[in-house]
Amino acid sequence: MWTQRIRHTGPVPVNPQNPMPPGAGNVTPSGAGAILISWIHFDPPGADAANQKRLNRERVTICNVGESSRSLAKWTLRDGDGHEYRFHSLRLGSEECLRLHSGTGADSQRDRYWGSDRAVWDNAGDRATLRNRFGEVVDRCSYKGSSRSPKHCL
């Protein structure tokens, strides 16, 4: 298992809709696969009113930059205030990404929904912590209020 954050050193992608950075599949983790937080969209456009459309634009993108698929069953993503999302049966293929939206919707392979009725990620700053099924920290990404949304984490 790797313990150090793996950073992509190439150019930052301009389009957060394509969250996998160019060459990210060339990153070589010391474990069998590496699941990393790629983007945090903490302040989507529009007023901060809690409506589902806006809540679903608030999201975290998680990518598998490893060479093999990985199960995310029982993994968790937590914000700095202790709000936690637990992944159930989900397998993320090599060089695949998924988006975890704050609001509600129908889960799919690429999109999961937290089910929150309010924003999860604080505009003033927050920290996302990804833990594996054993509770070990796999990745973290932080931003401050002066950061621009979306925050690129790789």
Side-chain angles (χ1 to χ4, degrees):
M1 184 178 93
W2 53 274
T3 56
Q4 205 170 25
R5 173 131 181 137
I6 298 167
R7 294 224 176 248
H8 172 66
T9 57
V12 174
V14 200
N15 180 4
Q17 299 303 325
N18 180 10
M20 188 63 113
N26 298 328
V27 175
T28 308
S30 60
I35 306 296
L36 301 175
I37 300 167
S38 177
W39 293 92
I40 301 176
H41 293 254
F42 61 89
D43 189 14
D48 278 348
N51 66 59
Q52 284 305 309
K53 185 175 180 182
R54 187 172 197 288
L55 285 175
N56 284 335
R57 287 192 307 244
E58 183 184 89
R59 63 190 181 271
V60 175
T61 303
I62 298 170
C63 296
N64 178 356
V65 298
E67 294 179 6
S68 60
S69 67
R70 297 287 303 267
S71 171
L72 295 186
K74 299 182 182 177
W75 285 43
T76 60
L77 183 71
R78 182 182 293 212
D79 75 345
D81 294 327
H83 302 109
E84 184 176 272
Y85 177 85
R86 180 172 300 273
F87 292 93
H88 297 286
S89 83
L90 173 68
R91 190 155 204 82
L92 196 56
S94 174
E95 298 190 28
E96 284 185 352
C97 297
L98 70 89
R99 294 175 298 249
L100 175 59
H101 304 268
S102 294
T104 59
D107 286 346
S108 69
Q109 179 64 22
R110 296 256 183 203
D111 292 282
R112 296 291 164 128
Y113 294 86
W114 198 302
S116 180
D117 60 356
R118 65 181 196 77
V120 173
W121 305 102
D122 297 333
N123 292 348
D126 213 333
R127 179 172 75 176
T129 302
L130 183 65
R131 294 180 184 267
N132 65 19
R133 66 188 184 112
F134 303 110
E136 300 164 333
V137 173
V138 172
D139 197 17
R140 281 193 174 115
C141 182
S142 299
Y143 60 90
K144 297 183 189 237
S146 59
S147 300
R148 294 184 68 189
S149 183
K151 164 71 174 163
H152 185 251
C153 302
L154 288 178

